Amino acid sequence: MPALRGRTFRPSPVLAVIAVVALLALPVAPGGDGGAGPADAASGLLVVLCAVLLLRARARPLSRTAVVVLGLPVGGLALAAVDAVSPGEGVAGLGRYLQIFVLVPAAVLLLIRDRRDFRLLAWAFVGLALWQGAIGVRQYATGTGASYQGEDVRAVGTFGTQDVMGMATVVSFGLVCAVGLALGRTGARERLGAGVCALVLLAPLALSFSRGAWIATTVTLTAQLALAGLRRALRVGAVVVAAGVVLVGGLGVGTAMLQERIDSISRVADAPDQSVTDRYTMWAAATGMWQRHPLTGVGLKGFPEYRDGHASLALSAGSDTEGAGAGYRKQPLLSPHNMYLLVLGEQGLAGVLCLVGCWLALLVLGLRGLWRARRRGAVPEGALIGCGLLLWQLVDFAYADIGGPSTVLTAVCFGLVARWALVDGEAYGPVGPAVPARPRPAPAGKAVVR
């Protein structure tokens, strides 16, 4: 103990990031507008904390590549903010986009010190997913979830009907992190625990009835298995299939409603339901806005203002929401539920080139770091988690956009992605040709046999 007297305990700055994640476990007030919550306020404090630590250290925190990539969305956002419907809407939209895609990701990147902090934050994602998933399964079993086909069985966790996609997003992020930890270079017990968590999270993801989350998760998990190696992919794939058989056949998860929801994925073009029709109509409206304002779009938060002028009569008045502690409510359709088209309609080509260009740069850099790491040995869990989270988000953005209390977790997700792509992945450096080993000198007094 005398050797420990001179040491002082310094908590890791990543605990502040974990606190933001933990606040998403709190219930959202039923019937709220689904706007900013405690986690959003904590994310603002997180950015302030990071700035204070940087000022105290007086060090250059980011490389030039990181500054360019993370700062790329600012140009398109500034142009779109100028063209907003009102100055207030422009400032509000600019602040929200900067929070989600620039400031919070940069703060998370800087507050993660090493591989241990990265794994700790990944486990925080898994823990939040298990908590929300457990609440969602209970909602399905007791009939206290959100309304779906006339029954209150849709698992939404603590997010309620104002953010029905929230639990599906959280569970998907946790599942991607758990698979990355299970396939990475962690200890045997940690890999086993992560694998068990991944299997457990399959049930609440299924009960979320979120087709977009299912598609994005399937694509991402397949990519993670392929990147981790063929043998491991076959073993884990066999376990997942077995778990699916148990869930569907043994535990009765495969209900008629779930089967109908799965079948509806293949009918979105032939016989779409009203929600799909509304989505197609809003996609067409966003495209029409871009055609009228191709360079800078209609301005931040301008989609609701210009929607009716570009939408056809097939668009309904709104989506019906009920259950999970809230009464019946007609929720207005204020976004196209497609992030790419939302950016195209509100920010034009300038916004797409800047914002989507940032995401693609992160993807290229992340995959490059993964390839370099794989050339030097087993793929680390940071590569699988970072590339997996970004791939999930890029696929899901084709069916969803930002909005709701769970959006702040997207910002933390991009922070993990940026950490691997811009810091940890770059540390591996280029992989050159193998250097031949020098012959060892023979010991004194002994002849060299040739």
Side-chain angles (χ1 to χ4, degrees):
M1 296 300 294
L4 300 177
R5 290 179 180 176
R7 300 182 182 179
T8 57
F9 174 73
R10 293 183 179 180
S12 172
V14 81
L15 295 177
V17 186
I18 294 176
V20 175
V21 177
L23 286 174
L24 289 170
L26 300 177
V28 178
D33 58 1
D40 290 278
S43 70
L45 296 177
L46 183 73
V47 175
V48 174
L49 172 64
C50 182
V52 171
L53 293 177
L54 291 179
L55 291 176
R56 290 181 60 184
R58 297 181 180 179
R60 180 180 175 180
L62 296 173
S63 65
R64 291 182 180 179
T65 302
V67 172
V68 171
V69 172
L70 291 178
L72 191 59
V74 177
L77 292 173
L79 290 175
V82 172
D83 290 337
V85 177
S86 65
E89 293 290 345
V91 172
L94 179 63
R96 185 61 164 169
Y97 273 95
L98 290 178
Q99 173 203 8
I100 302 304
F101 298 113
V102 180
L103 297 178
V104 174
V108 173
L109 179 154
L110 294 170
L111 294 177
I112 296 177
R113 300 177 304 180
D114 49 28
R115 181 185 172 193
R116 180 180 299 179
D117 283 355
F118 193 103
R119 291 206 315 271
L120 188 61
L121 185 54
W123 275 111
F125 272 66
V126 177
L128 177 64
L130 291 172
W131 169 254
Q132 294 287 354
I135 296 176
V137 172
R138 181 179 178 273
Q139 289 171 337
Y140 173 83
T142 58
T144 55
S147 178
Y148 178 75
Q149 293 187 355
E151 299 184 40
D152 296 341
V153 295
R154 186 170 189 175
V156 293
T158 63
F159 296 103
T161 56
Q162 58 268 47
D163 190 8
V164 293
M165 296 291 297
M167 191 212 74
T169 300
V170 169
V171 171
S172 298
F173 285 163
L175 185 55
V176 172
C177 289
V179 171
L181 290 166
L183 298 175
R185 296 187 305 186
T186 57
R189 292 185 179 179
E190 189 172 358
R191 291 199 304 270
L192 178 61
V196 172
C197 291
L199 294 177
V200 171
L201 290 174
L202 291 176
L205 179 62
L207 298 178
S208 69
F209 295 101
S210 173
R211 293 171 293 199
W214 293 347
I215 295 172
T217 304
T218 301
V219 172
T220 303
L221 297 189
T222 303
Q224 283 182 306
L225 292 173
L227 293 172
L230 182 58
R231 292 183 180 179
R232 187 172 294 181
L234 293 176
R235 290 199 302 266
V236 176
V239 173
V240 172
V241 171
V245 172
V246 172
L247 287 173
V248 174
L251 301 181
V253 175
T255 61
M257 286 186 293
L258 182 59
Q259 185 61 47
E260 190 277 334
R261 189 67 166 176
I262 295 174
D263 294 339
S264 68
I265 296 177
S266 60
R267 300 197 309 265
V268 292
D270 299 332
D273 53 30
Q274 185 58 47
S275 65
V276 176
T277 301
D278 288 338
R279 187 162 301 187
Y280 286 161
T281 305
M282 291 187 294
W283 289 3
T287 305
M289 296 176 195
W290 167 68
Q291 291 174 345
R292 293 286 300 273
H293 307 272
L295 184 58
T296 59
V298 297
L300 294 180
K301 288 183 173 280
F303 182 85
E305 184 73 20
Y306 289 86
R307 182 199 62 185
D308 293 340
H310 294 83
S312 66
L313 297 178
L315 182 66
S316 64
S319 59
D320 300 331
T321 61
E322 190 177 7
Y328 175 80
R329 180 183 180 185
K330 178 73 74 171
Q331 191 164 349
L333 304 174
L334 303 179
S335 70
H337 294 286
N338 182 303
M339 190 65 195
Y340 304 107
L341 292 179
L342 177 63
V343 174
L344 188 66
E346 291 188 346
Q347 303 178 39
L349 287 177
V352 169
L353 291 176
C354 292
L355 191 57
V356 180
C358 169
W359 303 338
L360 294 179
L362 289 173
L363 181 62
V364 171
L365 293 173
L367 291 175
R368 186 181 68 172
L370 186 149
W371 178 80
R372 289 174 174 176
R374 188 171 183 177
R375 288 285 301 271
R376 297 181 180 219
V379 179
E381 64 280 356
L384 296 172
I385 294 173
C387 295
L389 288 175
L390 181 57
L391 180 60
W392 188 95
Q393 199 67 78
L394 293 179
V395 175
D396 185 70
F397 273 162
Y399 311 96
D401 47 44
I402 58 174
S406 62
T407 303
V408 69
L409 194 65
T410 300
V412 180
C413 162
F414 272 102
L416 276 172
V417 171
R419 176 68 193 193
W420 166 254
L422 301 173
V423 179
D424 295 343
E426 291 293 316
Y428 282 89
V431 180
V435 178
R438 295 183 179 179
R440 295 182 179 180
K446 293 186 179 180
V448 179
V449 179
R450 297 186 182 275

